[in-house]
């Protein structure tokens, strides 16, 4: 295959991409904690995030990249966030680069939860084996670019069933990490 490139705008749009995905609340209802609020918002079904992917063939050694535009907002007290996933293939990490906005990269392995604060210019590493989710804790679009092995695969089912053991909610003093499944391993 031949080399290629994309221009990544500050808005998060790629001018050359293979797929554009939209995630609305009802595409990810099971991922938010406040089920009553999910029900109340179901008619409006707000857009939570948009992804522009440039995927390479799913073969060892190939790399894909994608931007995510995560909009500001909350479902109840819980900030808008991505579904979050494990990579299906063992031994595949990922690099995130924040282009604009502010948020948290929430990661979990077993019962260990780590967060990295994301703002313009921050580069974050997700080591292999860590589930990862992005959370917009700001009032503007949280925009980031991610680079990952093209054959990594995305396992959403484990998160849909077990959730992360901590969620990010708005408190009087700002974003707060709250335990909802203390000490429980994400992969039982
Ligand atoms: C990212 C994510 C993107 C959307 O490109 O896929 O932010 O999040 P979900 O995939 O959890 O819906 C990435 O981590 N790729 O591997
Ligand atoms: Zn990933």
């Amino acid at each position: 295959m031949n080399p290629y490139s994309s221009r990544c705008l500050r808005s998060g749009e790629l001018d050359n991409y293979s797929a554009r995905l939209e995630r609305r609340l009802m595409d990810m209802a099971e991922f938010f904690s406040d089920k009553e609020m999910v029900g109340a918002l179901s008619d409006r079904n707000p857009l939570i995030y948009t992804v522009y992917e440039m995927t390479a063939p799913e073969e060892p050694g190939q790399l894909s990249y994608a931007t995510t535009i995560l909009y500001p907002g909350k479902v109840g007290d819980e900030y808008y966030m991505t579904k979050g996933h494990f990579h299906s293939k063992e031994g595949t990490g990922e690099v995130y680069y924040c282009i604009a906005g502010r948020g948290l990269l929430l990661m979990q392995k077993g019962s260990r939860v780590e967060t990295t604060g994301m703002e313009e210019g921050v580069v974050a590493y997700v080591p292999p084996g860590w589930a990862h989710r992005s959370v917009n804790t700001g009032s503007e679009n949280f925009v980031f670019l991610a680079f990952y092995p093209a054959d990594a695969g995305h396992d959403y089912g484990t998160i849909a069933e077990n959730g992360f053991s901590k969620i990010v909610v708005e408190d009087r003093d700002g974003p707060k990490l709250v335990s909802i499944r203390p000490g429980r391993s994400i992969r039982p």
Side-chain angles (χ1 to χ4, degrees), residues 85 87 94 96 132 154:
H85 57 267
H87 291 164
E94 182 158 2
Y96 274 53
H132 44 288
H154 294 85

Side-chain angles (χ1 to χ4, degrees), residues 5-101:
S5 64
S6 309
R7 182 169 297 276
C8 175
L9 305 180
R10 211 182 123 76
S11 64
E13 282 164 81
L14 291 180
D15 69 349
N16 180 29
Y17 58 88
S18 52
R20 179 183 184 278
L21 318 168
E22 285 189 345
R23 293 278 177 257
R24 292 186 175 272
L25 179 60
M26 298 320 282
D27 300 320
M28 54 183 299
E30 65 272 45
F31 292 83
F32 284 98
S33 294
D34 189 337
K35 304 300 179 204
E36 213 169 293
M37 193 52 75
V38 169
L41 290 170
S42 61
D43 281 349
R44 191 160 72 77
N45 197 14
L47 182 60
I48 312 287
Y49 57 103
T50 303
V51 178
Y52 290 85
E53 286 179 345
M54 190 57 163
T55 50
E58 290 181 21
E59 300 162 358
Q62 301 271 11
L63 296 171
S64 292
Y65 55 85
T67 53
T68 303
I69 306 163
L70 181 53
Y71 303 104
K74 284 180 296 166
V75 176
D77 293 334
E78 194 172 14
Y79 293 102
Y80 281 9
M81 61 189 185
T82 59
K83 287 183 176 183
H85 57 267
F86 282 99
H87 291 164
S88 315
K89 186 180 175 188
E90 268 182 47
T92 54
E94 182 158 2
V95 173
Y96 274 53
Y97 172 66
C98 181
I99 295 166

Side-chain angles (χ1 to χ4, degrees), residues 92-94 107 109 125-132:
T92 54
E94 182 158 2
M107 291 164 281
K109 183 175 189 175
Y125 182 53
V126 181
W130 286 77
H132 44 288

